[in-house]
Amino acid sequence: MAASTSATAAVSFSLPSYPRRGLRRLRRRPSLRAASTAAPPSPDLSIQLSPRPSPRSSPPVVPSLARDRADDLQAESRAMTRAAAATVYTPELLASRYGSQPFQVALRAAEVLSKLGAFGLTLLLDQQRGESSSSAKRRARAVELRTILTRLGPTFVKIGQGLSTRPDLCPTEYLEELSELQDSLPTFPDEEAFACIEWELGFPLDSMYSAMSPSPIAAASLGQVYKARLKYSEQLVAVKVQRPGIEDAIGRDFYLLRGLGFLINKYVDIITTDAVALIDEFARRVFQELNYVQEGQNARRFKKLYADKQDILVPDIFWDYTSAKVLTMEWIEGVKLNQQAAIEGQGLKVLDLVNIGIQCSLRQLLEYGYFHADPHPGNILATPEGKLAFLDFGMMSETPEDARVAIIGHVVHMVNRDYEAMARDYYALDFLKPEVDVSPIVPALKNFFDDALDSTVSELNFKTIVDGLGAVLYQYPFNVPAYYALILRSLTVLEGLALYADPNFKVLAASYPYFAKRLLTDPNPYLRDALIELLFKDEKFRWNRLENLLVQGRQDREFVAKDALQPVLKLLLGPDGENLRVLVVKEAVRVTEAITFGTLIGSYNAAPEFLKPLISNGNPAGPFKISDVEREQMLELRDTVLRIWGLLRSSDTFDPSLLQPIVQVLQEREARVFGSRIAGGVSQRLAARLLQQLLRIPPAPVPGSS
């Protein structure tokens, strides 16, 4: 947990007094032990510490430096014991818990059905009047729905946020409006929060914290967050406390929604998705969010996978101060990623931070498959050191291994405009059942992408792709898996942050460095071939992509050209590198020709005017039989190659010695064979060009000339 440092006024806080009634029968817990690393005080909060007598003995502590992995595991085990009674969602649980509460359920049902029923009636009237196809009318109804869901409370706010990621269920206007749902709600009384902390952890507040903010620094649908200082170590922490009665309220709502889901499945033909299964899946995720020990374990797993990168920061969890309803995390000072002025005021650049987020997200989605499913601006902070801090690990998801390869393949098919292959990808992605015929989907994909793609997919905004695919998904019998819907949400949010800073930002172009790294390291031959197609198959854009890779790579602190050279050579000369070798031979021929003729054309253009007729033998078009289009293409390629060479030489990591492995590899038989292929291709092309010039037909005389 963390807070933005955008506040300018200083706030002092100390332990407030709160009612002690009802706290005397607190359960006694095992001895608490705590550990952390020291953190600097918050610059925007001056903390006033006042000694307070502890009515009971304080929990024993162990200095943080003495803690090791075994201690941490023991503390986590104690936290799991405290959370042993946390509810795990099952449909049977809802039936047993709320089936015997007909009056309470009926009251809530009346409230929900009256508001949603009235909204449904307006949609029906729109349809009868022929207004349902109007984008403006759908936008107005989407705003109404967002307001209704907010008023219905936390469950429906969560549902609205979930629907904002489902293009198979909602039109574009609804997706955009629901994505703006904010789950911020009025705070609940501090006394109840402090009582919850004492009850859950088994010790008085005074014995655990030397100071705590008198009011929450953040509040959401499921809980609220306080800033505190641990008594034993004086470290700043964030303490998240669950909203009282939230589990019962959410459980009752899902009990109602399951009943509604059965009715939808039976009577509503236009919704092809299994509504009950969708509700069950969503309810499981929400109930997992209610178990803060599970969230702490999510954070630990995320940190193990991704915080090894020096640009990524994940807060530590204090297990001895954590239970099912209380989560204590390291306090992270930072600025929300959508506060551009505050970020730049610290000497940082938003786009650099977004690029870090994109590279990390691609690792999450396509490498390990475990990803942060709720990366909104409040959950991603820019630290003063330029790191990207991920927070709030309640909503996590996983991408199946087969789907990771299929997603990359799907991007490749978009690049190549292979719409039939794109449609077949939906089987592998589990969007469609095997018996569904994809042939009607192909024209819809073609119509969208042929209109949207002026040049290449890399020039598209990700949101444009999502909106276009969403229109297709909404019209056909797709069932978008939960993991994929969350992927769309993650990448769309990141791109939105980038576009806020730079309207010309292209998230797919920024993804190329990650795909290049996967190309060099992934052992899957199918995936390597797909990545080669993605990065280099398009002859018109492959050098622009290489230039983009170098520009993006220079922003990656882990990018070192020398380290990348060996795997490139290994892949190029290895048994699985034939596709890449074909591309390299073809490009070597094109580049040699472009540099040779580009240099000759440049020399001719720089020659004195009185010499040009002699050099061109009186040909006003110049000495070379080359069309204007071909001439421009050659000069453009030559200039691009020279720019790339300049980027390499100006790189901080460039060292001429990095070319030494090439010299060593050239001594191997495979390299000599490959070199002969390049030399043969270049010789044939230059010889053909020479014959073309020698056999050139003289130009027709210009009328009126002597």
Side-chain angles (χ1 to χ4, degrees):
M1 306 302 301
S4 167
T5 59
S6 59
T8 55
V11 180
S12 63
F13 68 100
S14 59
L15 280 174
S17 59
Y18 50 87
R20 287 293 189 179
R21 290 174 296 180
L23 299 182
R24 294 183 178 180
R25 293 191 297 273
L26 292 177
R27 291 171 290 176
R28 303 293 288 182
R29 299 286 191 181
S31 297
L32 294 180
R33 303 170 70 195
S36 71
T37 55
S42 169
D44 63 325
L45 294 174
S46 60
I47 304 172
Q48 296 178 348
L49 303 178
S50 55
R52 291 178 178 270
S54 297
R56 272 166 267 173
S57 59
S58 299
V61 297
V62 177
S64 59
L65 295 178
R67 295 299 296 266
D68 57 19
R69 178 61 177 160
D71 294 324
D72 194 56
L73 289 174
Q74 291 175 9
E76 182 183 356
S77 177
R78 291 191 291 271
M80 293 175 64
T81 300
R82 288 190 289 275
T87 302
V88 177
Y89 173 82
T90 63
E92 295 76 18
L93 168 73
L94 296 187
S96 63
R97 182 175 292 180
Y98 303 104
S100 59
Q101 301 178 8
F103 181 71
Q104 294 89 334
V105 171
L107 285 178
R108 180 60 172 168
E111 179 186 9
V112 172
L113 291 178
S114 63
K115 293 181 179 179
L116 292 181
F119 178 74
L121 182 60
T122 60
L123 293 182
L124 183 61
L125 292 175
D126 288 344
Q127 187 174 12
Q128 291 179 345
R129 296 168 183 163
E131 299 176 348
S132 59
S133 60
S134 166
S135 178
K137 179 62 71 174
R138 285 201 301 265
R139 176 75 62 182
R141 296 307 182 205
V143 172
E144 290 180 24
L145 179 60
R146 174 164 55 86
T147 303
I148 291 171
L149 294 179
T150 302
R151 291 174 178 172
L152 284 174
T155 307
F156 291 89
V157 168
K158 289 288 184 184
I159 291 172
Q161 291 174 335
L163 287 174
S164 71
T165 69
R166 300 304 302 250
D168 55 331
L169 298 179
C170 299
T172 302
E173 293 84 0
Y174 283 80
L175 296 177
E176 293 176 352
E177 285 299 326
L178 294 178
S179 66
E180 296 181 7
L181 270 172
Q182 299 297 321
D183 60 354
S184 179
L185 296 175
T187 62
F188 58 91
D190 299 314
E191 291 79 5
E192 294 184 26
F194 300 146
C196 177
I197 296 173
E198 292 192 327
W199 177 263
E200 286 290 311
L201 302 182
F203 287 92
L205 213 63
D206 311 64
S207 66
M208 295 181 288
Y209 308 103
S210 59
M212 180 171 286
S213 56
S215 59
I217 52 94
S221 57
L222 300 185
Q224 57 195 36
V225 181
Y226 294 84
K227 185 175 184 179
R229 191 184 288 282
L230 293 177
K231 189 166 187 176
Y232 87 94
S233 66
E234 295 300 309
Q235 178 165 355
L236 289 175
V237 293
V239 183
K240 182 160 73 170
V241 188
Q242 196 168 111
R243 189 176 292 273
I246 189 70
E247 180 182 306
D248 187 60
I250 287 177
R252 185 180 295 109
D253 284 343
F254 278 119
Y255 177 73
L256 290 173
L257 291 170
R258 287 195 91 248
L260 180 62
F262 282 112
L263 296 177
I264 291 174
N265 285 348
K266 187 174 182 179
Y267 297 110
V268 183
D269 295 333
I270 62 172
I271 298 181
T272 58
T273 302
D274 185 342
V276 174
L278 189 65
I279 291 168
D280 284 340
E281 171 65 23
F282 193 73
R284 273 190 287 270
R285 292 184 181 277
V286 173
F287 270 79
Q288 286 176 359
E289 287 190 67
L290 291 175
N291 184 351
Y292 288 172
V293 170
Q294 178 63 54
E295 180 176 343
Q297 291 174 325
N298 293 343
R300 183 193 59 187
R301 181 181 177 188
F302 189 90
K303 183 169 187 172
K304 181 179 179 181
L305 290 176
Y306 308 114
D308 58 323
K309 305 303 179 183
Q310 59 180 336
D311 293 323
I312 302 298
L313 179 62
V314 178
D316 289 329
I317 304 297
F318 296 88
W319 294 109
D320 279 323
Y321 297 85
T322 295
S323 70
K325 297 183 179 181
V326 177
L327 176 64
T328 302
M329 303 176 71
E330 175 187 4
W331 180 270
I332 303 295
E333 291 295 346
V335 178
K336 292 181 181 180
L337 215 55
N338 61 350
Q339 296 178 342
Q340 185 174 359
I343 290 175
E344 293 178 350
Q346 296 181 343
L348 305 174
K349 294 182 179 178
V350 173
L351 287 183
D352 290 347
L353 292 162
V354 170
N355 271 317
I356 294 171
I358 289 173
Q359 303 305 313
C360 183
S361 293
L362 290 170
R363 286 186 72 203
Q364 295 174 48
L365 303 176
L366 303 176
E367 195 168 336
Y368 295 107
Y370 185 70
F371 65 96
H372 194 298
D374 192 22
H376 65 73
N379 287 342
I380 306 179
L381 301 183
T383 71
E385 300 79 21
K387 294 185 177 184
L388 206 62
F390 284 82
L391 310 172
D392 197 343
F393 300 91
M395 185 179 292
M396 309 294 290
S397 189
E398 296 194 56
T399 311
E401 185 173 359
D402 292 343
R404 298 175 217 164
V405 177
I407 290 171
I408 295 179
H410 195 58
V411 175
V412 172
H413 296 148
M414 279 196 293
V415 171
N416 295 333
R417 307 191 190 201
D418 188 345
Y419 304 122
E420 292 184 2
M422 282 184 67
R424 290 193 299 271
D425 288 336
Y426 297 127
Y427 294 131
L429 291 169
D430 202 25
F431 280 28
L432 296 172
K433 295 180 180 179
E435 62 269 18
V436 176
D437 181 18
V438 297
S439 55
I441 301 171
V442 175
L445 293 172
K446 177 177 175 58
N447 289 338
F448 165 67
F449 282 105
D450 281 351
D451 291 340
L453 301 180
D454 295 329
S455 52
T456 176
V457 172
S458 65
E459 298 301 314
L460 267 181
N461 288 331
F462 186 79
K463 184 179 183 301
T464 305
I465 297 176
V466 172
D467 289 346
L469 287 178
V472 176
L473 298 179
Y474 184 66
Q475 297 174 20
Y476 294 94
F478 284 89
N479 181 23
V480 178
Y483 75 85
Y484 195 82
L486 293 171
I487 288 174
L488 296 183
R489 177 181 182 177
S490 299
L491 291 179
T492 304
V493 168
L494 280 171
E495 183 182 61
L497 293 171
L499 292 175
Y500 180 77
D502 179 7
N504 296 317
F505 184 84
K506 311 298 181 187
V507 70
L508 288 176
S511 302
Y512 284 153
Y514 170 80
F515 289 127
K517 292 178 182 178
R518 287 294 298 273
L519 172 64
L520 300 179
T521 59
D522 200 291
N524 186 327
Y526 168 80
L527 184 59
R528 282 207 302 265
D529 289 344
L531 291 171
I532 289 172
E533 285 192 64
L534 174 64
L535 295 170
F536 304 118
K537 183 176 180 180
D538 192 326
E539 181 177 288
K540 182 178 179 182
F541 296 102
R542 66 173 63 124
W543 284 95
N544 300 78
R545 288 173 183 163
L546 180 57
E547 184 177 5
N548 177 270
L549 281 174
L550 290 173
V551 172
Q552 296 291 337
R554 293 176 69 176
Q555 299 173 1
D556 187 342
R557 299 178 187 179
E558 297 178 354
F559 179 84
V560 180
K562 190 172 183 179
D563 294 341
L565 189 57
Q566 285 286 8
V568 168
L569 294 174
K570 182 178 179 181
L571 174 61
L572 182 63
L573 300 177
D576 298 325
E578 179 59 24
N579 288 343
L580 188 56
R581 288 194 289 271
V582 171
L583 283 175
V584 170
V585 170
K586 186 176 181 180
E587 283 309 291
V589 172
R590 289 182 67 235
V591 169
T592 302
E593 180 185 46
I595 292 178
T596 301
F597 277 84
T599 302
L600 293 175
I601 292 171
S603 299
Y604 172 78
N605 292 336
E609 290 298 325
F610 72 91
L611 288 179
K612 288 184 178 180
L614 298 176
I615 298 174
S616 63
N617 196 24
N619 181 12
F624 307 108
K625 184 180 176 60
I626 301 176
S627 68
D628 292 340
V629 173
E630 198 172 13
R631 184 193 309 269
E632 290 178 4
Q633 290 176 345
M634 282 188 181
L635 293 175
E636 181 181 358
L637 178 57
R638 182 200 64 171
D639 294 341
T640 301
V641 172
L642 294 178
R643 279 200 310 272
I644 290 173
W645 176 245
L647 284 171
L648 282 172
R649 294 190 62 184
S650 63
S651 171
D652 294 337
T653 60
F654 178 79
D655 183 350
S657 66
L658 67 83
L659 301 178
Q660 182 178 358
I662 298 180
V663 177
Q664 296 174 346
V665 169
L666 288 177
Q667 301 175 10
E668 300 179 6
R669 178 182 177 278
E670 294 83 357
R672 293 197 299 271
V673 172
F674 179 55
S676 65
R677 288 175 61 180
I678 295 177
V682 170
S683 301
Q684 291 175 21
R685 185 59 174 262
L686 292 180
R689 282 292 188 188
L690 179 60
L691 287 174
Q692 183 186 51
Q693 303 305 314
L694 292 176
L695 300 177
R696 180 178 63 188
I697 300 174
V702 179
S705 62
S706 56

